[in-house]
Amino acid sequence: MPGLLLAASSTPAASGGGFDLFATILWPLKWLVEVVLVAWHTLLTFLGLSPDAGLTWVLSIFGLVIVVRSALIPLFVKQIKSQRKMMEIAPELKKVQDKYRGKKDQLSREAMSRETMALYKKHGTTPVSSCLPLLIQMPVFLALFYTLSDVKKHAEAGIGGVGLLNADLTLQFYDAKLFGVAPLHTSLMDAVNQKPDGWEITVTILVILVILMIASQFLTQLQIISKNLSPEARTGQAYQMQKIMLYVLPLAFIFSGVFFPLGVVLYWFTSNLWTMVQQFLVIRNMPTPGSEAAKAREERLARKGKAIDSSGKVVPLAKYEAEQQRLVEERERAKAVTPKRQQPVSKQRAKKQSQKGRRDGSPGSSGSPGR
């Protein structure tokens, strides 16, 4: 236990001789990441895998992905729903902005703010609610990134991480190689510059994985804007931003991916695959109304003799048709009892109608017959 506490206090910030606020904030999350990583490593070793084998550590990283992404499922679903709502109300927000465009007086600004907030309240969303789940996830992903990328620095310094990833385990991770050739701590840039033994294979593996990481990121984003947006949402500013990010993010990863250690690339690629499958299931089962995904779902249900009722529940087709018939009858009854709306006329036209009524001997709008 004293050794564990010593390892937990041996943070890079402490060894650097200064206070690192960023490292201090991430410390609890990095500690939890190391607990999960070491737990999977211990389990795999117990099952018979070699503790210092590259396969053991690669499978431990995959296990880390499973645990972390499973814990973040509620946030992921909330983020998808919030982003979808923001895109759906984008055309209405644009109408409000156009209504007050060029008006800079205080009353117009307050009116615009009230109408915007009323729109958010009506649809049950805000810009913060769509960003909050992502902001909550960011520290977790940063902790994962730094835990895996700090292995090289800690191993060369002869220290461990902040928790259960002690010096011995850190050194095992440092020496672990994928397929017995590519070190998990090596980045594409390091492999090209340092040219260790078997560097050609290491570079090939890293190039393939970086490309797969970027492609999976691109396809994940493409799923949303191609299948899960209604025609109205495709006209909003949020949609244009999504299209821009679709191409900007892969470009960013092209330049940053060459500096990611192999262990980080493996984690990121596996996490992207998880996101892609998870997002596919969400879009398939909870599509945006009016989107291509929603139409495809309705067709699948129709082939099974089912449909979606007015409350969003899947019901037998007979029950759906009965509900639709009932709604039509209710609308007809409501239309029958609603008084007909008088067509508004101008004062001049009303005066002409009144004069004509007097000449014809019929009641006018401004007097009685024969008057």
Side-chain angles (χ1 to χ4, degrees):
M1 183 62 71
L4 178 60
L5 293 174
L6 180 62
S9 63
S10 300
T11 63
S15 60
F19 178 73
D20 189 339
L21 179 62
F22 188 68
T24 302
I25 294 173
L26 291 181
W27 187 92
L29 293 174
K30 291 174 70 176
W31 190 89
L32 290 173
V33 168
E34 291 187 12
V35 168
V36 176
L37 186 66
V38 173
W40 276 101
H41 182 266
T42 303
L43 174 63
L44 293 169
T45 302
F46 174 78
L47 294 176
L49 295 181
S50 175
D52 56 353
L55 178 62
T56 306
W57 285 104
V58 168
L59 292 177
S60 298
I61 293 173
F62 292 167
L64 181 63
V65 172
I66 293 172
V67 173
V68 172
R69 296 312 304 271
S70 297
L72 293 176
I73 284 177
L75 285 176
F76 174 83
V77 174
K78 185 176 181 180
Q79 180 183 344
I80 289 289
K81 290 182 177 179
S82 298
Q83 288 178 344
R84 186 174 70 185
K85 287 182 180 179
M86 286 301 299
M87 286 189 175
E88 286 299 309
I89 68 172
E92 297 179 60
L93 285 174
K94 188 175 186 300
K95 289 180 182 178
V96 174
Q97 293 168 356
D98 292 341
K99 179 180 177 181
Y100 295 96
R101 191 179 302 279
K103 299 179 181 180
K104 299 183 179 180
D105 58 284
Q106 186 66 24
L107 291 177
S108 296
R109 290 182 178 179
E110 290 178 357
M112 179 179 173
S113 178
R114 284 196 301 271
E115 291 185 28
T116 302
M117 294 307 297
L119 195 58
Y120 289 149
K121 185 177 181 180
K122 175 184 175 183
H123 292 272
T125 186
T126 62
V128 176
S129 64
S130 63
C131 297
L132 187 59
L134 182 61
L135 294 176
I136 294 175
Q137 293 178 49
M138 283 305 297
V140 178
F141 289 131
L142 285 173
L144 290 165
F145 175 83
Y146 284 110
T147 298
L148 297 178
S149 61
D150 283 348
V151 166
K152 179 179 179 181
K153 178 173 61 177
H154 291 170
E156 292 175 349
I159 60 175
V162 299
L164 297 183
L165 194 63
N166 57 35
D168 291 337
L169 291 173
T170 300
L171 186 60
Q172 286 183 6
F173 197 136
Y174 179 82
D175 292 334
K177 296 179 180 180
L178 182 62
F179 305 129
V181 179
L184 296 181
H185 69 269
T186 299
S187 67
L188 182 58
M189 189 62 67
D190 290 339
V192 171
N193 291 335
Q194 299 174 8
K195 292 182 172 59
D197 293 339
W199 69 275
E200 298 93 342
I201 300 177
T202 301
V203 169
T204 302
I205 292 172
L206 277 163
V207 167
I208 293 173
L209 284 174
V210 169
I211 291 174
L212 290 175
M213 181 183 74
I214 295 171
S216 58
Q217 185 83 28
F218 177 84
L219 292 174
T220 299
Q221 191 68 18
L222 185 63
Q223 275 187 134
I224 297 178
I225 67 173
S226 64
K227 296 182 179 180
N228 202 38
L229 294 182
S230 65
E232 295 78 12
R234 294 177 186 274
T235 62
Q237 187 176 3
Y239 173 68
Q240 299 302 324
M241 289 299 298
Q242 287 278 1
K243 285 183 67 176
I244 293 173
M245 294 303 293
L246 177 65
Y247 298 100
V248 170
L249 283 177
L251 288 175
F253 281 118
I254 289 175
F255 295 103
S256 60
V258 299
F259 298 101
F260 290 169
L262 178 54
V264 173
V265 176
L266 281 169
Y267 173 83
W268 210 303
F269 172 56
T270 310
S271 183
N272 284 349
L273 290 179
W274 178 288
T275 301
M276 190 184 303
V277 174
Q278 185 173 256
Q279 190 166 262
F280 171 80
L281 295 174
V282 170
I283 292 174
R284 180 180 174 87
N285 297 296
M286 293 188 298
T288 301
S291 65
E292 292 183 15
K295 294 176 182 177
R297 186 189 183 206
E298 290 171 2
E299 291 174 359
R300 290 194 305 271
L301 291 173
R303 288 193 294 268
K304 297 178 181 179
K306 298 180 180 180
I308 303 172
D309 65 7
S310 57
S311 63
K313 296 180 179 179
V314 177
V315 297
L317 191 58
K319 185 176 181 180
Y320 169 78
E321 292 175 347
E323 182 194 48
Q324 292 301 306
Q325 181 64 30
R326 177 177 57 80
L327 292 174
V328 169
E329 293 173 356
E330 288 178 357
R331 283 195 294 267
E332 291 296 329
R333 286 196 297 269
K335 185 177 179 181
V337 299
T338 302
K340 292 184 178 180
R341 182 169 175 252
Q342 295 291 335
Q343 184 70 23
V345 295
S346 64
K347 291 182 179 179
Q348 186 176 1
R349 186 177 179 184
K351 186 176 180 181
K352 288 181 179 179
Q353 290 176 349
S354 176
Q355 292 173 351
K356 183 179 179 181
R358 293 195 194 98
R359 289 195 300 268
D360 297 340
S362 60
S365 61
S366 59
S368 59
R371 183 176 178 180

